[in-house]
Amino acid sequence: MQLVLQNLSKTYANGVRALDNVSLTIPTGMYGLLGQNGAGKSTLMRTLATLQDADSGTAFLGDLDVLNQKEAVRRTLGYLPQEFGVYPRISATELLDHFALLKGVVNGRERTQLVEALLHRVNLFEHRKKAVSSYSGGMKQRFGIAQALIGDPQLIIVDEPTAGLDPGERNRFYNLLSEIGENVIVILSTHIVQDVMELCNNMAIIHQGRVLYGGTPSAAVASLSGKVWGKSITKAELPTYQQTHTIISSKLVGGKPQIHVLSEADPGDGFEAVVPDLEDVFFSEIQTGVARR
Ligand SMILES: Nc1ncnc2c1ncn2[C@@H]1O[C@H](COP(=O)(O)OP(=O)(O)OP(=O)(O)O)[C@@H](O)[C@H]1O
């Protein structure tokens, strides 16, 4: 099963072009959609989740026409939105039971078994009687995954799921997602490079509604090999380096800016070769992608 998007475009009424000819082939497994805030990720996720329409283009999940066969898509879709909305003061068991009923699991005994199995799966069984509104951020996200798994979906969409989670919760969430992503398509939309690095075997970088890269994280990193150089500089020097070099990132290390620049040849001047990582790819794609426009 593959999800194939071709030339998806969307311009909002205020003139913002949130999707600009997006074409991607998304195979089974964990797929990372990496982009900064405002890149167009949620617009794409909501479109694939049948919650809003594109202006043009196509999206096919196998033979299923995602943009036009909405009911059929919803039956095979699990969606964890960026904002899950207000959590009522009812227990996890009751709320999950309610979602399962909405998803068409009408047999009471079957539903009870399903709800218990899901609560075990996301490690919330011992907290099943607590109100979901009292859960921590990480527990809420795991509950969100439990509801997304109802009905054995072939396509699971999770929009910015790790924003705001502490490192321990983030790890627990990673483990859960990586187990799920083996046999179905899981699209993970995120602005956190580490999410994609740790979880995804395929990815795209999206910026200002455009796909700047589509492929494996390792090929993306390999393409920068020998081209990234680093140097520790003073804050006062930064504007000069911005004029003379293609700076892809500037981070404070021990209070001093550590810059990474993109260069085919050794820039000399005290720069040292850096082994590139996915963050370098992300920033360099954005830099060069903007320059190409
Ligand atoms: N309903 C809307 N009306 C007008 N503009 C919108 C609407 N929804 C989103 N936008 C704009 O479209 C662009 C893409 O937004 P989108 O929410 O898809 O990005 P995103 O990558 O998910 O970012 P974020 O993580 O901040 O939600 C942004 O410039 C945003 O301001």
Side-chain angles (χ1 to χ4, degrees):
M1 174 85 84
Q2 283 189 331
L3 176 64
V4 181
L5 317 181
Q6 276 179 325
N7 303 109
L8 278 184
S9 291
K10 170 77 183 178
T11 303
Y12 286 110
N14 59 2
V16 173
R17 194 159 173 76
L19 298 178
D20 191 352
N21 269 311
V22 169
S23 297
L24 290 171
T25 297
I26 302 180
T28 303
M30 293 285 308
Y31 192 94
L33 185 71
L34 185 60
Q36 294 174 322
N37 288 342
K41 305 181 299 295
S42 294
T43 301
L44 184 57
M45 300 297 92
R46 285 196 305 264
T47 306
L48 298 176
T50 75
L51 297 174
Q52 69 179 64
D53 292 322
D55 297 334
S56 56
T58 58
F60 278 87
L61 177 64
D63 293 336
L64 206 57
D65 180 345
V66 175
L67 304 186
N68 294 306
Q69 294 175 277
K70 291 186 180 172
E71 278 307 315
V73 173
R74 284 173 197 156
R75 279 196 291 275
T76 191
L77 172 78
Y79 179 48
L80 176 57
Q82 196 170 353
E83 298 289 338
F84 199 62
V86 181
Y87 290 86
R89 297 191 143 275
I90 63 173
S91 73
T93 303
E94 286 170 289
L95 189 53
L96 214 47
D97 185 87
H98 177 67
F99 283 131
L101 189 60
L102 289 179
K103 264 224 158 164
V105 188
V106 285
N107 180 300
R109 185 181 299 179
E110 197 185 314
R111 218 165 49 242
T112 305
Q113 283 173 353
L114 173 68
V115 166
E116 282 199 3
L118 286 171
L119 287 167
H120 278 297
R121 179 132 186 222
V122 301
N123 232 334
L124 286 174
F125 190 74
E126 63 179 294
H127 305 289
R128 67 191 180 282
K129 292 178 183 160
K130 290 184 190 155
V132 181
S133 55
S134 71
Y135 276 4
S136 70
M139 290 162 79
K140 278 182 183 154
Q141 289 304 66
R142 280 184 280 138
F143 179 85
I145 288 292
Q147 66 77 28
L149 288 175
I150 296 169
D152 283 329
Q154 292 296 303
L155 172 63
I156 297 176
I157 294 175
V158 285
D159 197 357
E160 299 265 1
T162 65
L165 299 190
D166 69 36
E169 283 178 333
R170 183 171 292 176
N171 263 332
R172 274 192 290 278
F173 194 73
Y174 282 167
N175 287 331
L176 176 62
L177 276 185
S178 66
E179 282 168 24
I180 294 166
E182 285 176 2
N183 304 313
V184 298
I185 300 172
V186 181
I187 306 180
L188 167 73
S189 131
T190 184
H191 64 271
I192 300 169
V193 176
Q194 191 198 353
D195 288 355
V196 177
M197 222 153 55
E198 299 216 4
L199 287 169
C200 301
N201 25 24
N202 285 286
M203 65 173 291
I205 294 174
I206 181 170
H207 186 65
Q208 295 175 346
R210 286 189 171 191
V211 175
L212 300 182
Y213 175 80
T216 64
S218 52
V221 170
S223 72
L224 277 192
S225 180
K227 297 180 186 168
V228 182
W229 309 83
K231 185 177 179 182
S232 182
I233 61 168
T234 64
K235 281 180 194 158
E237 290 171 321
L238 189 57
T240 310
Y241 279 97
Q242 274 165 338
Q243 284 182 356
T244 53
H245 295 76
T246 309
I247 297 184
I248 53 178
S249 68
S250 165
K251 272 192 224 170
L252 290 180
V253 178
K256 279 187 81 178
Q258 167 84 33
I259 54 171
H260 281 187
V261 304
L262 197 61
S263 173
E264 294 286 336
D266 183 349
D269 191 24
F271 276 95
E272 287 184 5
V274 168
V275 177
D277 60 19
L278 200 54
E279 199 163 86
D280 292 315
V281 171
F282 184 40
F283 291 129
S284 76
E285 284 293 346
I286 288 174
Q287 283 277 338
T288 51
V290 170
R292 278 198 300 268
R293 295 202 89 167

